[in-house]
Amino acid sequence: MQSSNRLIRQRLVMIGIGITVFFIVMVARLGYVQLIQGPELAEKAEDLWRRNVPYTAKRGEIIDRNGDRLTYNISTPTIWAIPAQVKDVEGTALQLARILQMSSDTIKQQLQKRSMIERIQPGGRKISTERAQAVRELNLTGIKVAEDNQRYYPFNRLASHVLGFVGIDNQGLTGVELSHNNYLTGIAGGVSFFTDASGREMPNTSESYQKPRDGLSLQLTLDKHIQTVLERELDRTMVQFRPNQALGIVMNPKTGEVMAMASKPDYEPSNYRAFPSEVYNRNLPIWMTYEPGSTFKIITLAAALNEGKVDLDDDHFHDPGYIKVANARLRCWKRSGHGSQTFLEGVENSCNPGFVLLGQRLGKEKLFSYIKNFGFGQKTGIDLRGEENGILFKLNRVGPVELATTSFGQGVSVTPIQQITAVSAAINGGVLMKPYTTKAWIRRQSEEIIQQSQAQQVRRVISSAASKEVRRALESVVANGTGRNAFIDGYRVGGKTGTAQKVINGRYSNNEYIVSFVGFAPADDPQLIMYVAVDNPKGIQFGGLIAAPIVKNVMADSLRYLKVPARKDQMPKKLIYPDVPIIEVPDLIGETTQHIYESLNMDFQLAKSGTGNTVISQAPKPGERVKQGSTIRIYMGD
């Protein structure tokens, strides 16, 4: 009996200990959950209860080098619904439909969805501020108006290929909008509130607002004025000569800053869906590859000068209109030839045989070494997407003919950005610079500069002395040779024409050409360099007749805009019919009519206004330069 009682007591003790241990474990577990895991579990619970109406961050503006806005944001709110909170689905749908110009059935379907939060679309997405205010005034249960914005391009098509465009969710899709999307986008905010599992707002809770953090603004190296002038001239060319496409780049040759870049045809970034994808996806100055033609001769010239292989003034050669290389006869553009000439005259005349001779003097190893050092056959590294490499002959496949054709720009494939960057190195003192379009990142609210780009030297390719000779030769091309249509009175301009046969289906076309011109000014201290290429113009197909005038017009406008002073020490232009001399307007103020007629020597026409015997005013003013035979209006008095 005693043994039985002892056994019972032992069992009770064991049960008690077990219960105690159980409670200790439970208390410990509860304490762990409450004290250790509590904040984490509460956060998870809040995440389950929390609903967010997003407020889109303002995308950073894109501005030009002078601060002019090229693209910015306009307010376009969006309508959201919390379906579980909408008490009168039918009435709510009818009232929203009237304002949003949507079908009430479409809105009703969205309001009846089993979702926690629903965007009313398409009519409720990115609406005008007036419509948003009208929705707010309805004070509909379960309907929220969230801040949103839309990209606005105030200059329509200007610089469209550089800027690119954004999608419906303000994400960059092309251009710098895409390549710099992360910095431009910013961080979204919104209004948060709590609901139960059915979507009903939880009692004793309140809404919280998190302010969006706007994206950084991007300052480009582009100049809006120069970009406008470039596009104006390219548009005129597209109308006048009806080419397949055209492109242009304006750059600071000393720094690599791109001042303007344009492709034609272009498009409207705010309405890009209305244009073919091959138009808005191809930024021709960095994407297009083609044989450059005679503008490439600048590289052969620079290499030969740097290696001491030619004296432009003392070395002569004879051009019968062709040169024989191996079994090939390579022709000059002038079939009858230029006869005996110095190499400077050969550059002025863009004479193919002369450049073949320079290539032969250099040899293939040396010439192709310079071509690669000038950046051909590889990307320049410009901060834009879609850049191509171009194509060069492999050295082991370069024979006498390939060496000869390469020396005058045939058989190699380049991009426009490679071409202008290489020529910049040839005329800026001999240093290859990395081209770029990003000038600075700015926090617009405070105007704080977050990051600023600096010019980057890639390498020295020729000496400053050789570069000076290149500049002299190319200034002579504009004054005396094939580039005469780029001559600007009062400014020293250098440049080179290019007319290259297009390769179609592996064969050179006899009637389709890419005509081009590269020009820079002032020739002795270049501030601007510009490259233009026009693909298959109809009618006239010479770079000197189509591309050179574009460069002249853009360069003249840009130099005056940048306040680069005009000078009188330029190389005089060689006049060829129908050129008219440019002469200085004399000072006629204070002179009598009789003396004026005796002294003008028929250089000008006169138009008199007023009475009297003495000139008291005149237009144009004394010292201005005009074409011979122009009219001077004189105002007479006593």
Side-chain angles (χ1 to χ4, degrees), residues 490-510:
Y491 291 99
R492 297 180 61 177
V493 180
K496 185 74 188 72
T497 56
T499 304
Q501 289 174 284
K502 290 181 65 175
V503 177
I504 300 176
N505 298 324
R507 300 177 64 87
Y508 286 106
S509 171
N510 291 324

Side-chain angles (χ1 to χ4, degrees), residues 51 82-85 115-116 193-201:
R51 302 292 175 260
I82 301 127
Q85 296 181 10
S115 57
M116 293 300 179
F193 56 93
F194 296 96
T195 68
D196 60 19
S198 299
R200 292 184 294 270
E201 192 164 353

Side-chain angles (χ1 to χ4, degrees), residues 62-70 155 158-159 163 218-227 250-260 436-440 442 444 447 449 452-453 455 527-528 558 561-562:
I62 300 177
I63 60 177
D64 85 335
R65 65 187 303 108
N66 302 310
D68 289 331
R69 296 193 296 177
L70 301 177
F155 303 106
L158 188 75
L163 295 176
L218 170 61
Q219 184 176 34
L220 297 177
T221 59
L222 300 188
D223 188 297
K224 187 192 73 174
H225 179 84
I226 297 176
Q227 181 77 30
V250 182
M251 183 187 288
N252 182 332
K254 297 180 179 179
T255 64
E257 292 175 280
V258 176
M259 309 284 281
Y436 64 101
T437 62
T438 300
K439 187 174 181 65
I442 301 171
R444 289 291 275 177
E447 297 299 321
I449 296 177
Q452 197 158 14
S453 300
Q527 305 297 311
L528 291 177
S558 299
Y561 161 72
L562 295 173

Side-chain angles (χ1 to χ4, degrees), residues 195-231:
T195 68
D196 60 19
S198 299
R200 292 184 294 270
E201 192 164 353
M202 296 178 67
N204 302 319
T205 60
S206 60
E207 294 182 344
S208 62
Y209 172 68
Q210 182 178 356
K211 185 179 180 181
R213 191 161 69 188
D214 296 343
L216 295 176
S217 289
L218 170 61
Q219 184 176 34
L220 297 177
T221 59
L222 300 188
D223 188 297
K224 187 192 73 174
H225 179 84
I226 297 176
Q227 181 77 30
T228 301
V229 173
L230 172 61
E231 296 203 27

